[in-house]
Amino acid sequence: MGELANCSRCNGLFLKGSSTVCPECRKQEEKDFQTVYAFLRRKQNRTATVDEIEAGTGVSEWQIRKFVKEKRLHPAHFPNVSYACEKCGASIREDRLCDLCKDSIQKGLDVQERNESLEKRKEEEREKANRTYYSW
């Protein structure tokens, strides 16, 4: 059984299932998707940017980028459609982060791992130095 939730678009109450929006907003999203997809299927519009799609369809930029993020619109078919990196806001076509942010995070993790390894070695050396051996 679903739980009671507020729609992320209209803030109305609904029983939450697999969607984060109420059935009415879901219908509107589907209608918006069909509008955008029909626009992009026309040969002259296949290379349209998000701003051009928004102007041509009346569907919000946020909703268009959400369709790309959900992989309902594939950037391979529509080369100028993208969305923002979740860290820096750069325009990307796949994943959640741009390559620069991924590299930055990976370098930070590598540094942290090296620091932890050094701390562990120092702790082990201190333990060895503090051992007392008894001989009978």
Side-chain angles (χ1 to χ4, degrees):
M1 184 80 168
E3 62 185 69
L4 198 58
N6 287 79
C7 175
S8 60
R9 286 183 65 166
C10 71
N11 211 28
L13 287 175
F14 74 105
L15 283 177
K16 185 176 179 179
S18 61
S19 180
T20 60
V21 295
C22 67
E24 292 79 24
C25 290
R26 183 75 181 137
K27 287 177 191 172
Q28 184 60 45
E29 278 186 0
E30 190 57 36
K31 182 180 174 189
D32 289 347
F33 174 75
Q34 292 303 325
T35 302
V36 169
Y37 192 69
F39 178 83
L40 288 172
R41 279 196 342 225
R42 285 186 240 130
K43 189 173 185 175
Q44 70 269 20
N45 296 334
R46 289 198 179 140
T47 58
T49 63
V50 173
D51 293 332
E52 293 168 341
I53 297 168
E54 181 180 19
T57 63
V59 176
S60 71
E61 176 185 354
W62 175 84
Q63 187 65 56
I64 295 166
R65 292 189 190 280
K66 184 178 174 191
F67 293 146
V68 176
K69 205 172 192 178
E70 292 172 344
K71 301 209 183 296
R72 294 184 74 187
L73 294 175
H74 295 279
H77 299 118
F78 311 111
N80 293 328
V81 178
S82 62
Y83 54 93
C85 168
E86 290 183 10
K87 186 173 182 215
C88 70
S91 187
I92 57 175
R93 295 166 40 115
E94 61 184 7
D95 297 329
R96 295 173 65 180
L97 301 171
C98 67
D99 289 338
L100 289 174
C101 290
K102 285 180 196 174
D103 290 344
S104 170
I105 290 170
Q106 187 60 51
K107 286 177 185 173
L109 289 171
D110 291 344
V111 167
Q112 181 68 27
E113 190 175 288
R114 270 185 265 137
N115 288 342
E116 288 175 359
S117 178
L118 279 172
E119 269 306 308
K120 187 176 179 181
R121 269 193 249 132
K122 286 180 182 178
E123 183 65 32
E124 288 172 353
E125 287 174 11
R126 274 187 241 129
E127 286 177 7
K128 281 183 182 178
N130 291 334
R131 287 186 188 155
T132 304
Y133 295 96
Y134 295 102
S135 169
W136 299 99

